[in-house]
Amino acid sequence: MADATETRKTPRAKAFDLRRQPGFAAAAWACIIFLYAPIVVLIVFSFNDNRSVVRWTEFSLRWYTEAFANEGIQKATWMSLKVAFVATALATTFATMAALATTRVARFRGQGIVFAIINQPLMIPEIVTAVATLSFFSLIKQATGWQGVGFLMLAHTVFCIPFAFLPIRARLQDMTITLEQAAADLYATPWAAFRRVTLPLMAPGILAGATLAFVVSLDDVIITLMIAGPGETTLPIYILGQIRRGITPEINAVSTLLLGLSLLLVSLTFLLGRKRSRA
Amino acid sequence: MKKVTIGLSVLALSAVAGLPALAAGKLNIYNWGNYTSPEMIEKFEAEHDIEVTLDGYDSNETMLAKVKEGNTGYDIVVPGDYMIKIMIEQDLLAEVKPNEMENFANVDPNWVDVWWDPGRNYSIPYQWGTTSFTVDTEVFTGDINTLELLFNPPEELQGRINMLNDMNDVINAGLRYLGYGRCNGNVDELREVTELLVEAKQHWRTMDYSTIEKLTSGDVDLSQNWNGAAMRARAQRPSLQYAYPKEGFTGWMDNVAVLKDAPNMENAKLFINFMMDPENAAMTSNFARYANGIKGSEAFMDPEMLEAPEILMPADAPAPDFVKPCPQEVVDLYNKIWTRLKQ
Amino acid sequence: MADRITDTRTTRQPASDALAGARAARDSAAKRTRVFLLAPAILTIGIVGLMPLSIALVYSFLEPGTYGGVTWAFSTDAYVQFLFDRDIFDDSLTFSTSYLSIFWRSAFLAIITTIGALLIGFPTAYFIATKPPAQRNLWLFLVTLPFWTNLLIRTYAMLLIIRDEGFINITLQMIGLTSGPIEMLYTDGAVFLGLIYSFLPFMVLPLYASLEKLDFRLVEAAHDLYAGRVQVLRRVILPMARPGMIAGCILVFIPCLGAYITPELLGGGKKLMIGNMIALQFGGSRNWPFGSAAALILMAMVLIVLLIVNRSRADAEVSHG
């Protein structure tokens, strides 16, 4: 309980205590356990010797060796990550800009419509978007001769925007602009005021939005299935193809590796960040 | 941030612009997921110095929807029997004349004059199999070769049944059980089928495609199934047995065909010829666990496959029924039955 | 940005005639900024999102093509079919609730999932937001890490936990709480559990984003005024978390409406969901117009709810300001 010790040190000890709501910590821990229980099972089964993902026999690294030898599964994993990164970056940027334009200003005409347009990709069942986008992209492909993974990235960007937009907008709402005013009063250029004041204030919202966009892109099945061209199979599509013929723990092995990789990356950035802040 | 955005936009745009046409020495295959032997692909790549890109789909309908819109970039598809007929009718397949190719003599004559491609002007056999069901013979010890088990199950199987989540497979089984024809537009008969299915549904635990997991985990003791999947499930639960119901069961064949707008037409033809070679067909069978329809492939197949009861049909079993695509009026009726069943 | 800042300041100054011209200029500058900020999102969605929507709208008024696709002939059958059943037996047109009941099932599931996710997500988000700043991102990462694995794989893992011979049942029997297995898998409860799991981060993250900025001096002040914990929660914390709550509910409710992979796997697939029913129209049922029409009806319903929420939120903002 790091915060407890910290509490004693700060003069605002009373306030810190007040932050606690009874039962909230317990609920949060229950939530974490709930989220991780299937993940633990998944990791355990990646070391299962059996071909089945539902019956345990004995410990083995077999599925890791197979995953390393399986070019198809590796290509699909990289394709998933590539599409998710590009879509997340674009969607988060666009969503941040749009959130800035729609919050903390007087209501402008057409705000409702703007809101509806940005949320449109959320509102229509994926399969319909998928089929209709397929028709639309096919027309473009015919007219221009363009091919490539850009179409898939674009489609992902579109449905990621609302997922990034809503948390960022929620963050910005009710946020006062006194600090920006102060910055402007101190002759900060608009860009400097934005970079030094607004952006840090928005950061938690942007992080939340980007995370959601990334997760949504990484999990998408139906739109990807329809839009993807040759060589653009993502991991979910690869897994979908296995359902009828039986899913093997190879997928668990890849999932475990992905979890490990993300854990490693985040720990690194966390440690680096701590070092920098200490220095 | 702006710089990053511009950079990414440029990246995305250049990715869109990409390569307008695919270079020679390539082949793009669109097959069912997890259905293509990697060794077979490697062999083809080495033999012809062609780089193969392989992607998977989950249903004939997904593939058709994409192909119909055109510009998919794919050369080879592997549609099921009825889908070949539809695609030929819709002018989506190239008439590559496999029947004039060098290896065509290897095709089992039984699979040449088929209703979906008479004389084989468009397609060749890939894999074929049956759709019936698997029962745990330790749980149910009686005669398993009857659809009675699905529609009027004995007590030990009640609530222990998985049906495929497939409109046609479920309704066709119902029609066979009642002795009515497939692609049936007869309203009275369909009413009877609806009542039968709704009544039987209370004994079904699930309706799902992941039959192997359902059976091996012990969630169910009977599952509608494809014969290859049945073989895989039996490997982990030896008491399972594949049924050949006396009322009849579905047969199906997936076929290799070339798309009309294939960017690599010549390479696609090479692949068609390649797939009629017994050794290559056997590689596919050893991977996907179904029979292939190419003479002489037995010599290269896993021995356990040659004697598997899921592949060797007993002499007294009825012939598998290869169901033709139904007209739209019948599909509409089926759709209503299905909605009512799963309402 | 700067325009907006100046904008607000001007409104605080007494308006004089001399300033009116300058203000108009600033207003139009503010508008330009707004257009610049909105353009990327609106253009991307406008072109890649709304074009397909128009295509779907057109499809919904056509006749189904043979073997999928559409035939170019005007028809409103798709919409009629939604509410009326042309009886398969005597071809009479009767009011039918089949599709409505499928819609209702999905909507009900989406509502209780949203409530469930809110009940679990709120304490979690609050807990994270009250951690020391250095730890918050780490916690946030901890909550989203499970979602790096594929939905299907996660769902299979969940099957293992709740099945008849799964971990929960084995544990319960081992400690002697139950004698036989409790049937959890392939029930509505399992579907509910699976949906909450899938959508939890969509609730926690927006909630966190708005709780994180909570000014605890207000909590302190409330306490000084002898407000109890519950009152502090109700009067101070909840109102401030409102934007995040609304965003979270939208992000859980709408995708949940169209969800069908989780309900199929955990519920056993014996009942249709909206998403599933619509997908079927583009697959085996070969009725694209009906699929499009059903999707548009769904969208219209969602849009109405969303506009009401937006209106009430706008009102709330005004009263806050």
Side-chain angles (χ1 to χ4, degrees):
Chain A
M1 296 270 107
D3 53 336
T5 46
E6 208 170 294
T7 310
R8 252 171 258 131
K9 280 183 216 151
T10 55
R12 285 173 50 214
K14 200 174 71 175
F16 232 107
D17 252 349
L18 273 173
R19 294 177 166 214
R20 292 255 176 80
Q21 287 287 333
F24 273 30
W29 280 105
C31 173
I32 295 287
I33 292 170
F34 174 51
L35 286 177
Y36 277 85
I39 303 304
V40 171
V41 171
L42 176 139
I43 295 173
V44 168
F45 272 76
S46 73
F47 297 105
N48 185 7
D49 185 56
N50 197 285
R51 204 198 145 74
S52 157
V53 280
V54 290
R55 262 188 40 212
W56 175 264
T57 43
E58 63 177 321
F59 179 88
S60 144
L61 288 175
R62 166 180 173 200
W63 299 108
Y64 287 87
T65 24
E66 295 213 0
F68 276 112
N70 185 338
E71 207 189 317
I73 210 170
Q74 284 168 26
K75 266 166 112 180
T77 309
W78 287 122
M79 182 55 69
S80 275
L81 290 175
K82 207 159 78 182
V83 171
F85 274 118
V86 174
T88 304
L90 288 177
T92 311
T93 313
F94 294 173
T96 307
M97 292 169 76
L100 280 168
T102 51
T103 43
R104 309 187 305 163
V105 282
R107 257 186 97 77
F108 57 89
R109 264 180 52 180
Q111 197 174 6
I113 294 173
V114 165
F115 198 63
I117 291 179
I118 290 179
N119 287 307
Q120 184 268 335
L122 263 183
M123 285 185 289
I124 192 152
E126 255 197 289
I127 177 71
V128 183
T129 314
V131 170
T133 310
L134 171 70
S135 303
F136 178 55
F137 279 0
S138 167
L139 285 176
I140 297 181
K141 286 180 183 175
Q142 197 141 32
T144 59
W146 291 346
Q147 291 280 345
V149 74
F151 283 105
L152 188 59
M153 289 170 173
L154 200 60
H156 274 234
T157 305
V158 169
F159 68 74
C160 283
I161 288 178
F163 284 94
F165 174 76
L166 285 169
I168 300 174
R169 185 180 143 92
R171 169 81 189 178
L172 275 173
Q173 265 167 11
D174 303 338
M175 206 163 87
T176 54
I177 52 171
T178 13
L179 282 172
E180 284 136 304
Q181 281 170 12
D185 288 345
L186 294 168
Y187 302 104
T189 62
W191 175 246
F194 172 72
R195 222 176 50 122
R196 303 279 168 124
V197 181
T198 321
L199 201 57
L201 283 173
M202 292 171 75
I206 295 178
L207 182 71
T211 313
L212 284 189
F214 186 73
V215 163
V216 168
S217 167
L218 210 57
D219 242 355
D220 181 72
V221 176
I222 299 166
I223 291 179
T224 313
L225 184 66
M226 283 289 171
I227 306 297
E232 291 165 26
T233 295
T234 59
L235 199 56
I237 305 300
Y238 185 89
I239 297 170
L240 187 74
Q242 290 207 319
I243 289 190
R244 292 188 195 210
R245 291 162 218 286
I247 294 178
T248 64
E250 219 173 331
I251 305 285
N252 292 24
V254 171
S255 306
T256 308
L257 289 175
L258 266 180
L259 288 176
L261 180 77
S262 56
L263 207 58
L264 196 77
L265 279 177
V266 169
S267 317
L268 271 179
T269 37
F270 185 70
L271 286 176
L272 282 179
R274 220 156 63 174
K275 225 181 205 170
R276 211 173 38 193
S277 67
R278 278 211 191 121
Chain B
M1 189 164 70
K2 214 177 193 176
K3 243 182 225 161
V4 176
T5 320
I6 293 170
L8 282 168
S9 315
V10 170
L11 189 78
L13 275 177
S14 58
V16 168
L19 294 165
L22 292 148
K26 292 198 170 179
L27 183 69
N28 298 324
I29 300 176
Y30 200 32
N31 192 356
W32 295 76
N34 199 21
Y35 201 31
T36 320
S37 156
E39 290 104 298
M40 184 267 289
I41 294 292
E42 271 166 33
K43 186 177 168 202
F44 178 74
E45 286 181 319
E47 246 174 51
H48 296 279
D49 192 26
I50 287 170
E51 193 194 332
V52 173
T53 305
L54 176 67
D55 294 291
Y57 50 84
D58 67 323
S59 70
N60 278 311
E61 281 70 25
T62 303
M63 184 270 296
L64 177 67
K66 282 178 85 161
V67 169
K68 247 180 142 170
E69 293 297 340
N71 299 298
T72 54
Y74 291 111
D75 303 297
I76 297 278
V77 287
V78 189
D81 39 45
Y82 74 96
M83 193 49 75
I84 289 279
K85 187 171 165 63
I86 291 174
M87 292 178 83
I88 293 175
E89 266 174 33
Q90 308 230 323
D91 199 21
L92 297 169
L93 297 182
E95 195 171 359
V96 290
K97 295 270 179 201
N99 46 19
E100 290 167 10
M101 288 180 187
E102 191 190 333
N103 283 341
F104 189 74
N106 297 325
V107 177
D108 184 334
N110 288 327
W111 298 115
V112 173
D113 266 317
V114 287
W115 56 257
W116 54 92
D117 181 12
R120 294 289 183 182
N121 287 308
Y122 294 86
S123 66
I124 58 155
Y126 183 72
Q127 297 273 278
W128 76 274
T130 56
T131 310
S132 172
F133 61 90
T134 300
V135 193
D136 188 323
T137 48
E138 273 171 14
V139 175
F140 176 73
T141 46
D143 174 25
I144 64 162
N145 292 325
T146 168
L147 290 174
E148 186 93 19
L149 300 190
L150 301 181
F151 297 109
N152 188 16
E155 213 186 319
E156 54 266 47
L157 289 176
Q158 286 177 9
R160 307 288 302 163
I161 296 172
N162 173 54
M163 297 293 280
L164 289 174
N165 193 8
D166 183 298
M167 187 164 83
N168 290 316
D169 283 329
V170 172
I171 294 177
N172 283 338
L175 286 168
R176 287 192 191 104
Y177 178 66
L178 294 174
Y180 299 142
R182 256 61 65 210
C183 279
N184 195 328
N186 183 320
V187 174
D188 291 320
E189 293 181 2
L190 285 182
R191 192 200 317 250
E192 227 179 298
V193 170
T194 312
E195 280 161 14
L196 174 78
L197 295 178
V198 170
E199 181 64 22
K201 188 190 165 194
Q202 55 174 317
H203 302 305
W204 300 341
R205 188 168 194 201
T206 52
M207 297 175 81
D208 193 4
Y209 283 120
S210 56
T211 61
I212 300 178
E213 279 87 9
K214 288 269 178 315
L215 285 166
T216 53
S217 67
D219 278 349
V220 297
D221 299 318
L222 183 158
S223 174
Q224 242 192 336
N225 216 347
W226 308 279
N227 59 332
M231 200 189 308
R232 285 193 165 160
R234 180 170 55 88
Q236 300 188 43
R237 191 173 167 185
S239 52
L240 291 175
Q241 199 182 331
Y242 190 65
Y244 291 99
K246 59 177 191 285
E247 297 91 341
F249 50 88
T250 300
W252 50 264
M253 174 172 267
D254 291 325
N255 310 265
V256 192
V258 181
L259 288 178
K260 191 141 210 174
D261 59 0
N264 309 295
M265 187 60 82
E266 289 314 308
N267 296 347
K269 286 179 184 167
L270 285 177
F271 185 74
I272 295 276
N273 192 46
F274 176 85
M275 283 305 295
M276 290 187 288
D277 181 276
E279 193 185 340
N280 305 333
M283 281 170 132
T284 302
S285 284
N286 289 338
F287 179 84
R289 313 306 276 180
Y290 291 97
N292 55 49
I294 302 293
K295 281 186 301 182
S297 65
E298 297 83 4
F300 305 96
M301 269 160 72
D302 290 346
E304 84 246 29
M305 277 193 72
L306 295 175
E307 51 208 42
E310 288 87 357
I311 289 187
L312 280 181
M313 252 178 268
D316 58 343
D321 170 19
F322 289 76
V323 185
K324 294 184 183 176
C326 302
Q328 189 61 37
E329 309 87 75
V330 176
V331 173
D332 286 345
L333 292 175
Y334 279 18
N335 192 31
K336 276 180 184 156
I337 296 174
W338 192 246
T339 311
R340 199 166 293 186
L341 181 65
K342 298 185 69 169
Q343 176 182 322
Chain C
M1 227 85 33
D3 308 301
R4 217 161 339 110
I5 293 161
T6 20
D7 204 20
T8 333
R9 284 202 302 177
T10 0
T11 52
R12 288 190 185 161
Q13 283 161 8
S16 74
D17 288 348
L19 275 175
R23 187 133 55 100
R26 256 184 244 119
D27 279 351
S28 79
K31 202 171 167 187
R32 270 204 303 277
T33 313
R34 186 161 70 220
V35 169
F36 164 74
L37 286 174
L38 283 174
I42 299 289
L43 280 181
T44 316
I45 297 178
I47 295 170
V48 189
L50 292 186
M51 281 303 282
L53 186 67
S54 327
I55 294 175
L57 186 68
V58 173
Y59 280 178
S60 75
F61 284 106
L62 297 175
E63 280 173 13
T66 8
Y67 310 131
V70 287
T71 306
W72 286 90
F74 178 81
S75 158
T76 52
D77 270 7
Y79 291 93
V80 175
Q81 190 186 344
F82 187 78
L83 283 180
F84 298 98
D85 195 4
R86 203 174 289 278
D87 197 276
I88 65 172
F89 308 123
D90 58 16
D91 205 46
S92 66
L93 214 55
T94 47
F95 182 73
S96 149
T97 55
S98 320
Y99 294 116
L100 280 180
S101 72
I102 292 169
F103 260 63
W104 170 241
R105 179 182 311 122
S106 294
F108 178 72
L109 208 55
I111 291 169
I112 58 167
T113 303
T114 310
I115 295 171
L118 186 61
L119 289 180
I120 303 176
F122 187 83
T124 311
Y126 184 87
F127 177 76
I128 299 173
T130 50
K131 284 272 152 202
Q135 285 181 27
R136 288 178 199 161
N137 285 348
L138 209 62
W139 273 94
L140 217 55
F141 171 71
L142 213 59
V143 169
T144 42
L145 183 67
F147 297 85
W148 275 65
T149 50
N150 185 267
L151 175 71
L152 282 164
I153 299 302
R154 260 182 285 134
T155 315
Y156 270 103
M158 203 177 296
L159 283 175
L160 286 170
I161 297 177
I162 62 174
R163 74 166 15 118
D164 296 355
E165 294 98 41
F167 297 119
I168 293 185
N169 266 318
I170 288 176
T171 318
L172 283 178
Q173 284 168 50
M174 248 169 32
I175 53 176
L177 275 178
T178 53
S179 51
I182 303 174
E183 202 167 304
M184 283 175 284
L185 192 53
Y186 311 129
T187 61
D188 290 345
V191 176
F192 173 62
L193 204 69
L195 284 175
I196 289 194
Y197 189 107
S198 313
F199 291 109
L200 205 51
F202 301 110
M203 184 62 87
V204 173
L205 273 81
L207 272 175
Y208 165 78
S210 77
L211 276 173
E212 204 263 354
K213 67 177 182 219
L214 209 144
D215 187 346
F216 279 91
R217 280 170 303 179
L218 286 176
V219 177
E220 208 173 330
H223 188 78
D224 289 344
L225 294 169
Y226 303 104
R229 279 186 202 278
V230 178
Q231 263 173 308
V232 168
L233 182 68
R234 237 191 56 206
R235 301 277 170 115
V236 183
I237 300 173
L238 284 183
M240 293 191 76
R242 226 185 99 146
M245 243 187 265
I246 293 173
C249 289
I250 293 173
L251 284 178
V252 174
F253 180 75
I254 303 178
C256 196
L257 261 184
Y260 69 86
I261 293 179
T262 311
E264 289 237 310
L265 282 181
L266 293 173
K270 282 169 74 180
K271 292 173 185 164
L272 277 175
M273 296 283 149
I274 308 178
N276 192 305
M277 191 269 286
I278 292 174
L280 194 64
Q281 305 307 319
F282 291 94
S285 300
R286 307 181 201 147
N287 195 338
W288 289 24
F290 180 61
S292 306
L296 288 170
I297 293 169
L298 178 68
M299 191 181 116
M301 289 181 184
V302 171
L303 200 61
I304 291 167
V305 174
L306 213 59
L307 284 176
I308 293 170
V309 169
N310 196 37
R311 187 57 46 85
S312 72
R313 174 158 57 177
D315 293 346
E317 266 169 45
V318 169
S319 67
H320 266 283

